[in-house]
Amino acid sequence: TQNTPYVFEGGGGLYLSDVNVSLINVTISDNYTNDDGGAVYCHNDANISIHNGILWNDIPGEIFIESGTVTAEYSDIEGGWAGTGNLDVNPAFNDILTYDYSLGELSPCIDMGTIDTTGLFLPDKCLAGNPRIGNGRIDMGAYEYYERMELDLKIFLEGPYEGSGMNSGLTSLADFPLSQPFNESPWNYMGIEAVASIPADVVDWVLVETRDATDAASATPATIIARQAAFIKNNGQIIGMDGTDAQPYVSASITNNLFVVIYHRNHLTIM
């Protein structure tokens, strides 16, 4: 998923020159350039093929070909693009204000990807860590759609606990991170959760991980189905990025039982 604020040359999302590239299940959205090709700039006889992609709301326009070729199939491209199965319709992302480019429940991109995925060498899971094909046919974009289930979670951190709630003074420090801090060892979580400012009453970041297993003993890392960074409020409630009572969620098909693992940078992990 691309999301760059501004590019002074062509290709707000991708600038491709003298290469042969297949873009499979990519989501490129909300990029800007003062030249051409808000999403993709094709240069120097590059040959680009797009399968199951979403290119939307990139300025100015999605694809610019200086020299070379761009072919697309079963992709949602704003402004339209010739090719089998292509769409030109708002993909209805879940929440672009919080950079959530997963598919909403009414997205026209659900189950609209390539019918035959032979030869695409798809990974087992989508960008969110869910099984890549969730309903018999692949979706367009980087995320496979699954029905969302909100998680009502509450924990208390011993360090800032003050008898009935937690102190939120940590967030006033100058170096308190505005983006999720779990993108290093041992968590190695590459999510793009970020905010312009820390919401009121937030104590710290946590990483919420969900596992699908028959019992606690089998809820190992091998059974992980989703991960999401979130905030913990001074009353212990774990909330999403908007700072309201919105809860973190899991979008996946649960076969057995749902186990929730919560990571914090300075506390023991709990399940």
Side-chain angles (χ1 to χ4, degrees):
T1 299
Q2 300 292 319
N3 183 261
T4 54
Y6 200 80
V7 176
F8 290 96
E9 296 181 357
L14 293 171
Y15 182 96
L16 300 172
S17 177
D18 192 28
V19 291
N20 297 317
V21 174
S22 292
L23 304 176
I24 302 172
N25 283 100
V26 298
T27 297
I28 304 178
S29 185
D30 290 335
N31 299 283
Y32 308 87
T33 174
N34 70 342
D35 200 337
D36 293 304
V40 176
Y41 191 106
C42 182
H43 173 67
N44 196 20
D45 294 325
N47 295 299
I48 304 165
S49 63
I50 304 172
H51 309 268
N52 312 330
I54 299 176
L55 282 62
W56 197 263
N57 198 36
D58 299 290
I59 299 174
E62 300 302 326
I63 301 171
F64 179 79
I65 302 175
E66 180 180 318
S67 67
T69 62
V70 175
T71 60
E73 66 171 8
Y74 297 98
S75 295
D76 188 13
I77 301 175
E78 186 172 13
W81 198 264
T84 303
N86 289 339
L87 303 177
D88 177 14
V89 60
N90 191 315
F93 296 125
N94 260 310
D95 188 359
I96 60 174
L97 295 180
T98 59
Y99 308 110
D100 181 356
Y101 293 95
S102 58
L103 302 179
E105 62 179 347
L106 300 179
S107 173
C109 299
I110 297 172
D111 294 335
M112 293 300 291
T114 308
I115 299 173
D116 182 4
T117 59
T118 303
L120 293 184
F121 302 103
L122 296 170
D124 293 334
K125 297 185 178 182
C126 72
L127 190 61
N130 293 321
R132 180 65 265 190
I133 301 178
N135 193 34
R137 179 171 171 178
I138 196 168
D139 298 340
M140 294 176 177
Y143 298 92
E144 193 77 7
Y145 173 78
Y146 286 86
E147 182 179 359
R148 289 189 167 204
M149 292 165 284
E150 291 187 340
L151 304 177
D152 187 5
L153 306 173
K154 178 176 283 190
I155 64 170
F156 288 96
L157 304 175
E158 183 178 8
Y161 188 69
E162 296 183 315
S164 60
M166 292 177 287
N167 187 310
S168 58
L170 183 65
T171 60
S172 64
L173 298 178
D175 59 350
F176 188 83
L178 295 178
S179 57
Q180 67 87 6
F182 299 101
N183 56 355
E184 58 186 35
S185 180
W187 311 284
N188 299 315
Y189 172 65
M190 295 296 112
I192 59 173
E193 292 90 343
V195 292
S197 61
I198 302 299
D201 300 326
V202 164
V203 176
D204 205 352
W205 290 90
V206 290
L207 179 62
V208 179
E209 178 180 279
T210 49
R211 303 179 180 183
D212 182 10
T214 55
D215 52 39
S218 61
T220 67
T223 66
I224 293 172
I225 56 175
R227 305 177 96 193
Q228 180 186 354
F231 288 131
I232 177 172
K233 291 179 65 175
N234 56 5
N235 64 359
Q237 184 181 18
I238 294 180
I239 60 172
M241 293 296 95
D242 62 0
T244 69
D245 291 336
Q247 299 161 336
Y249 61 89
V250 56
S251 295
S253 175
I254 298 172
T255 303
N256 297 296
N257 298 297
L258 185 67
F259 290 84
V260 179
V261 178
I262 300 177
Y263 298 93
H264 182 268
R265 289 175 290 169
N266 297 300
H267 290 74
L268 292 175
T269 303
I270 61 172
M271 181 165 67

